[in-house]
Amino acid sequence: MPASDNTPSLQPSILVIFGITGDLSRRKVLPALHNLCRDGLIPDNTKIIGISRREVSHDEIMGIIKDSLAANPSGIDQAALDRLAAWTSMFKLDPVSDADYESLKAKLNQIETESGRCMDRLFYLSIPPQVYAPIIDKLGQHGLNQGCDHQLGQARIMIEKPFGYDVSTAEKLISDTNRVFREEQIFRIDHYLAKETAQNILKFRRHNPVFSKQWNSRHIKRIHVIAKESIGIENRVAFYESVGAMRDLVQSHLMQLLALTAMDMPEHLSSDEVHASKHRFLDSLIPPHGDVLKQVVRGQYDSYRQEVNNPASNTETFVSLVLKSSDPNWHGTEFQLTTGKSLDEKLTKIIVYYGEGGDTNALTFRIQPDEGIDVNLLIEEPGYTNALQEVKMNFSYSQYFDTSGHDAYERVLVDGMRGDHLLFATKSEVMAAWRLLQPVFDYWHNHSQDLVIYPNNGPGPSTTHLNLSYNN
Ligand code: BG6
């Protein structure tokens, strides 16, 4: 797909990727770079520096890039690979070695000297969150939180979720990062925000008054954000055992989707106004209290303990949670968030239920797959009966648009390089979500009998006892 009119205009940058040979990089970042390169969305003179602890040759990294494209839906483009080969170099760095950071700095300066210009520098930490803090610290100590010597380029940092483990570790991570980088230099990735259909939620709400005029609890009784996955934890044993579904999916992706769906519509859809509004909504959610079990179900798929080789593991691979808001606009509306691994299908959707007494009249944002929007209506059946039947009006992106479009990580990289914060999570949003969920973590810390073991590839645990006025 050639660059089109809405092609972002980017300055050549230096992209410094920590953990370039790691799992996330292979699955998401490298294919995204290839596709951006193929589509002409990254300017020539871009440089990519792959950081790794061990010596990795240029041939090896090019082999990794090629392998990472085996499952790329649009295949491999040789011209893009050739360009990536010219842009990419590897750099061996021991994360605690001051000398290595000095050499890295010299390398960045040298690249800029050779290209005759200051460039934006984007440090992408595609590494386990436990090692963020020491690396961020070292970047600061060696002046890598600044742009080039002439101050004509920006230094930025992109980090992956989970941003902390609970309220106190998240606060610490945020303050450690803020000590070195100013908030406007920090890009906290939540790739669900960068999914095309998630980006549409606010525009849809703003420009379709038939729905937006009734966007409140008088009309909307329940909003359910669902992210089901058919895969298990794959090879991410150490990561998943210490994280679980609540921290992996709910704290970030699902909270963000809910915030986009239920936040007040700001006057402008600017980054600042959207973030302020999302934060206000997240802050208005009431933390689970009283009988937590009526508000949260957690489960673990059948073969999980064997997979992680820990017969006593209480890590949840499924969560369903019901919340309410103290915002008068949402008085009485229930917000449900559900996610699970090793379920019967892969899908993400947001269902907005109208009306009393059931789920029949609903608006659904299908985030993935088969992206689109459904409206369920009750219609009188033809003939002499007065019976009502539920029917569906449905719109699919693929009917109207070329949907061979961009993966969320392509958007993440482009927005990071151009310094646009709209589709990243702010520290206030991150903290509001942690504060909301902390009582559940505290409860789980002291109890384990509520963990439901569910069959692999099925519908997941029942949630019918949750505090809902009507069930799914
Ligand atoms: C990641 C989680 O953030 O999102 C994974 O860490 C999960 O556990 C993934 O599988 C799902 O992303 P997507 O884009 O495939 O829905």
Side-chain angles (χ1 to χ4, degrees), residues 203-332:
K203 304 272 174 42
F204 175 92
R205 289 182 49 196
R206 191 177 193 88
H207 297 290
N208 293 288
V210 61
F211 295 104
S212 53
K213 292 279 183 221
Q214 295 154 43
W215 211 258
N216 55 50
S217 60
R218 281 183 54 218
H219 304 280
I220 295 176
K221 300 302 164 192
R222 181 155 78 101
I223 296 179
H224 193 173
V225 183
I226 305 170
K228 293 166 84 176
E229 292 190 90
S230 46
I231 56 168
I233 59 161
E234 301 192 298
N235 297 324
R236 301 155 78 209
V237 172
F239 167 80
Y240 206 84
E241 258 292 82
S242 64
V243 171
M246 188 74 118
R247 294 181 173 90
D248 189 32
L249 261 287
V250 177
Q251 192 277 340
S252 48
H253 303 328
L254 300 198
M255 285 290 177
Q256 286 288 347
L257 291 181
L258 178 63
L260 288 176
T261 311
M263 65 182 236
D264 280 342
M265 187 55 69
E267 198 177 335
H268 308 103
L269 293 184
S270 66
S271 179
D272 286 352
E273 289 188 38
V274 168
H275 283 304
S277 191
K278 273 199 291 171
H279 176 220
R280 262 196 311 279
F281 172 74
L282 290 170
D283 232 17
S284 81
L285 290 169
I286 303 167
H289 57 283
D291 190 350
V292 169
L293 296 185
K294 284 205 174 133
Q295 294 168 72
V296 189
V297 170
R298 65 167 157 163
Q300 187 186 70
Y301 65 81
D302 205 20
S303 60
Y304 180 81
R305 289 181 180 174
Q306 212 181 339
E307 239 172 285
V308 299
N309 197 17
N310 177 6
S313 172
N314 281 331
T315 302
E316 78 288 354
T317 59
F318 175 98
V319 180
S320 189
L321 163 80
V322 177
L323 297 164
K324 294 216 169 158
S325 162
S326 60
D327 182 335
N329 194 44
W330 290 118
H331 180 73

Side-chain angles (χ1 to χ4, degrees), residues 32-64:
L33 278 171
H34 162 273
N35 294 350
L36 289 172
C37 205
R38 178 200 58 205
D39 298 344
L41 295 174
I42 317 190
D44 273 332
N45 307 332
T46 296
K47 295 287 175 215
I48 298 168
I49 301 184
I51 306 282
S52 71
R53 284 165 182 262
R54 64 180 177 90
E55 200 76 56
V56 174
S57 69
H58 190 258
D59 281 354
E60 190 179 343
I61 190 63
M62 289 316 298
I64 290 176

Side-chain angles (χ1 to χ4, degrees), residues 24 27-28 160-162 190-192 195 227-229 231-234 236 239-240 243 248-249 252-253 341 346 348 368 407-409:
L24 174 70
R27 279 188 301 118
K28 299 287 191 183
E160 288 281 347
K161 51 154 267 290
D190 184 312
H191 78 280
Y192 270 48
K195 288 184 188 284
K228 293 166 84 176
E229 292 190 90
I231 56 168
I233 59 161
E234 301 192 298
R236 301 155 78 209
F239 167 80
Y240 206 84
V243 171
D248 189 32
L249 261 287
S252 48
H253 303 328
K341 288 197 183 279
K346 162 82 177 169
T348 306
Q368 61 183 13
D407 178 75
Y409 267 81

Side-chain angles (χ1 to χ4, degrees), residues 76-286:
I76 301 183
D77 181 280
Q78 191 53 47
L81 268 188
D82 293 344
R83 224 168 312 143
L84 279 179
W87 292 353
T88 305
S89 56
M90 288 300 296
F91 189 88
K92 178 170 171 289
L93 179 136
D94 172 354
V96 296
S97 157
D98 289 306
D100 285 1
Y101 287 88
E102 280 303 309
S103 312
L104 176 61
K105 187 172 170 183
K107 175 154 180 145
L108 300 184
N109 289 341
Q110 186 200 341
I111 290 173
E112 290 174 346
T113 307
E114 280 166 10
S115 65
R117 60 189 301 171
C118 278
M119 292 160 89
D120 290 340
R121 300 169 174 188
L122 182 63
F123 297 95
Y124 185 159
L125 304 193
S126 179
I127 48 176
Q130 307 84 280
V131 277
Y132 289 166
I135 289 180
I136 289 171
D137 219 38
K138 287 280 182 225
L139 290 173
Q141 283 169 26
H142 294 276
L144 288 160
N145 52 348
Q146 324 266 325
C148 72
D149 291 345
H150 307 288
Q151 306 299 317
L152 294 173
Q154 295 272 339
R156 302 189 178 109
I157 186 151
M158 288 209 295
I159 56 176
E160 288 281 347
K161 51 154 267 290
F163 311 113
Y165 182 79
D166 55 13
V167 167
S168 60
T169 51
E171 266 166 357
K172 176 150 184 352
L173 174 64
I174 286 172
S175 74
D176 287 348
T177 318
N178 278 157
R179 219 174 317 110
V180 177
F181 289 94
R182 296 185 312 279
E183 190 59 16
E184 64 269 24
Q185 295 176 283
I186 304 168
F187 294 78
R188 297 184 189 85
I189 300 172
D190 184 312
H191 78 280
Y192 270 48
L193 287 173
K195 288 184 188 284
E196 200 71 52
T197 36
Q199 290 174 46
N200 176 52
I201 295 171
L202 289 181
K203 304 272 174 42
F204 175 92
R205 289 182 49 196
R206 191 177 193 88
H207 297 290
N208 293 288
V210 61
F211 295 104
S212 53
K213 292 279 183 221
Q214 295 154 43
W215 211 258
N216 55 50
S217 60
R218 281 183 54 218
H219 304 280
I220 295 176
K221 300 302 164 192
R222 181 155 78 101
I223 296 179
H224 193 173
V225 183
I226 305 170
K228 293 166 84 176
E229 292 190 90
S230 46
I231 56 168
I233 59 161
E234 301 192 298
N235 297 324
R236 301 155 78 209
V237 172
F239 167 80
Y240 206 84
E241 258 292 82
S242 64
V243 171
M246 188 74 118
R247 294 181 173 90
D248 189 32
L249 261 287
V250 177
Q251 192 277 340
S252 48
H253 303 328
L254 300 198
M255 285 290 177
Q256 286 288 347
L257 291 181
L258 178 63
L260 288 176
T261 311
M263 65 182 236
D264 280 342
M265 187 55 69
E267 198 177 335
H268 308 103
L269 293 184
S270 66
S271 179
D272 286 352
E273 289 188 38
V274 168
H275 283 304
S277 191
K278 273 199 291 171
H279 176 220
R280 262 196 311 279
F281 172 74
L282 290 170
D283 232 17
S284 81
L285 290 169
I286 303 167

